[in-house]
Structure formats: structure tokens, C-alpha cells
Amino acid sequence: AVATAVTYTSQKYVDELKKSGQFTKENQREALGLAVAQAKNLLTAEATAFLESAYGDLTEYLQSRIEAEVRNQKIGMATLTLSA
């Protein structure tokens, strides 16, 4: 969910702002919020419950994972994804 959310946010929001030179700190915070929301939408209720019981605050957990994923994607590190 995190890798998908980061890719989605980059394609739908970040890339255009970067092209126009308008990717500000405020836009970065907004992009993080969009990615967190997208990741939450992709998680099942069971996954959400598990993550909250294992890590506490879901938003905080997702923000840290998203930041790590953004870095991984920037340096071209492949992310393990599972498909159904």
C-alpha cells in the first residue's frame, strides 16, 4: 500500500509541480498527506487494525514508511510488493 501510494502521489501530484518549479515545502507536506490518505484507502480493515495494534498511531507509522519509500524510489531501490 505504501509503495503504491507513493507512486500514485508522485504521478498525480508531485511530478507536475516539479516540472513547473513549484514543489515547495508546503507542497511536500501536502504530498505526504495525500500519500498517507491513499495508503489508508488501500489498506483493509484487518491490516489497519493490525498496524495500529503493532505500531500505535497509523498516520505516524505510514508517514515514516512513506518517507522511506520516497527515498528508496529516488535512488532506484526496488520495493517488494505482493500481488493477489
Side-chain angles (χ1 to χ4, degrees):
V2 169
T4 300
V6 169
T7 301
Y8 174 85
T9 303
S10 290
Q11 291 176 343
K12 296 290 183 182
Y13 182 73
V14 174
D15 291 349
E16 289 301 315
L17 288 172
K18 284 184 175 182
K19 283 181 192 175
S20 66
Q22 298 177 13
F23 193 56
T24 64
K25 288 287 183 189
E26 183 177 313
N27 294 135
Q28 289 175 5
R29 283 189 296 277
E30 187 171 342
L32 179 58
L34 292 170
V36 167
Q38 183 65 21
K40 285 181 177 181
N41 286 335
L42 294 170
L43 292 172
T44 64
E46 293 83 7
T48 297
F50 170 79
L51 291 170
E52 287 174 337
S53 69
Y55 299 105
D57 184 85
L58 181 61
T59 299
E60 196 172 296
Y61 171 76
L62 288 173
Q63 286 174 341
S64 67
R65 296 304 309 140
I66 287 167
E67 292 289 348
E69 180 61 23
V70 167
R71 182 184 183 284
N72 288 344
Q73 288 187 15
K74 279 184 182 178
I75 63 173
M77 182 180 287
T79 302
L80 175 63
T81 56
L82 303 175
S83 44

